[in-house]
C-alpha cells in the first residue's frame, strides 16, 4: 500500500511510513503459523524492497540479501512464498549475485518431463500454471537468466498442451489435472494471468484466443481488484494492446477500468468504507487506472516496483 500510494504521487511521508512498518513487523511478525519473513508478499522482504524504492533510511540492503539467500530453496517454488518472489525483489534492488543464485536453483527444479515445477504448499503437493502460485510466475522470474528462445519453446509446449479451447476462445485451468468445473478466468488462475505475465512468449493465436475469452467473460463478480478481479483481468488486455498495437485492446482495457471504478463505488456504498489492500482492494484499481491512462501493461510488483 505504501509503495502504491508513493507511485501514484500521494502527499505523505512514504520513507517514514515504511520505516514504521518494518519496526512493526519485527516487533510482531504477521501471519502466526504462516509467518515467513523471506517471502516477498507475505513477509519482511517486500517491506525492504519498498524501503529501497522510496528512499527510506530504513532501507537495509544487507538484510535484503540475507532474506533472498534464506529463501532460495523454499519448497513452495512459487512467487507468493518462494524464491521466484524474492528473485524479483533481488532484481528490483540490483542484487544480481543473489538473484542469479536463486535463478540457478529454480532452473534446476524445472522438470523437463512435465515442463512444470511442483509446489509443496499448505500441506499439498500440486503443480500450478498461473503467476501467483506456479509456472507463469516462475518463468517470469527466470527472464534474463535463461535465454528467451529457450523460455519460449518450453512455455509454448506446455501451454499449447494444457490450453482449453472452445469457439475460438482459450483458457487454462489452475492445474493441468484440475477438472473443468474448477476453471477460472482470473489473474491468479486462468487466461488473464498467463497473458499478462507470459504473453510475449506465446504464439499470437493463443494470446488472441485468451483475450477474446477475457473480453467475452467480462468484469468479474468477485470485485474490482488485482488478484481475482476486474482490474487484474484488464492488465491482460493492456498486454495484448502492447503485443498487437491494436487499439481495440486498449479500448477494451479502459472499458474494464470504468467498470472497476463502478464496482469500487458500489462496494463503498454497501459497506461504508473502501477496501484497503493492494491485491484485493481499491489501491490496485487506482494503479490499473493509471496503467490505462499511460497504456502501460506492467503489472504491480511483477513488472514494476
Amino acid at each position: 500500500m505504501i509503495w502504491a500510494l508513493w507511485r501514484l504521487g500521494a502527499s505523505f511521508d512514504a520513507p517514514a511510513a515504511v520505516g514504521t512498518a518494518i519496526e512493526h513487523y519485527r516487533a510482531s511478525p504477521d501471519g502466526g503459523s504462516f509467518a515467513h519473513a523471506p517471502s516477498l508478499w507475505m513477509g519482511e522482504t517486500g517491506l525492504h524492497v519498498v524501503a529501497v524504492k522510496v528512499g527510506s533510511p530504513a532501507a537495509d540492503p544487507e538484510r535484503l540479501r540475507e532474506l533472498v539467500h534464506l529463501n532460495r530453496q523454499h519448497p513452495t517454488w512459487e512467487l507468493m512464498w518462494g524464491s521466484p518472489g524474492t528473485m524479483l525483489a533481488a532484481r528490483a534492488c540490483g542484487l544480481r549475485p543473489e538473484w542469479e543464485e536463486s535463478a540457478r536453483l529454480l532452473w534446476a527444479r524445472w522438470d523437463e518431463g512435465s515442463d512444470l515445477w511442483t509446489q509443496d504448499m499448505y500441506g499439498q503437493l500440486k503443480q500450478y500454471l498461473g503467476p501467483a502460485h506456479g509456472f507463469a510466475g516462475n518463468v517470469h522470474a527466470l527472464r534474463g537468466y535463461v535465454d528467451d528462445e529457450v523460455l519460449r519453446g518450453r512455455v509454448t509446449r506446455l501451454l499449447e498442451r494444457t490450453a482449453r479451447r472452445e469457439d475460438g476462445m482459450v483458457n487454462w485451468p489452475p492445474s493441468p489435472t484440475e477438472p473443468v468445473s474448477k476453471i477460472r478466468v482470473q489473474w491468479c488462475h486462468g487466461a488473464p494471468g498467463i497473458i499478462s505475465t507470459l504473453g510475449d512468449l506465446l504464439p499470437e493465436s493463443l494470446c488472441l484466443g485468451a483475450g477474446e475469452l477475457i473480453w467475452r467473460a467480462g468484469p468479474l463478480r468477485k470485485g474490482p481488484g488485482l488478484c481475482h478481479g476486474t482490474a487484474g483481468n484488464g492488465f491482460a488486455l493492456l498486454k495484448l494492446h502492447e503485443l498487437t498495437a491494436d487499439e481495440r485492446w486498449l479500448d477494451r482495457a479502459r472499458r474494464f477500468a470504468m467498470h472497476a471504478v463502478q464496482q469500487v463505488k458500489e462496494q463503498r456504498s454497501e459497506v461504508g468504507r473502501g477496501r484497503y489492500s493492494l491485491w484485493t482492494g481499491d489501491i490496485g484499481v487506482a494503479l490499473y487506472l493509471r496503467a490505462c491512462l499511460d497504456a502501460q501493461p506492467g503489472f504491480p510488483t511483477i513488472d514494476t516496483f
Side-chain angles (χ1 to χ4, degrees), residues 93-109:
C93 296
L95 305 181
R96 188 172 182 85
E98 289 72 24
W99 169 70
E100 287 185 340
E101 180 190 26
S102 293
R104 176 178 56 81
L105 294 168
L106 182 65
W107 170 247
R109 298 284 301 204

Side-chain angles (χ1 to χ4, degrees), residues 252-266:
R252 289 177 171 184
R254 289 172 171 171
R255 288 173 183 267
F256 267 47
M258 292 302 94
H259 193 93
V261 169
Q262 187 59 35
Q263 287 178 301
V264 168
K265 290 179 179 178
E266 290 173 356

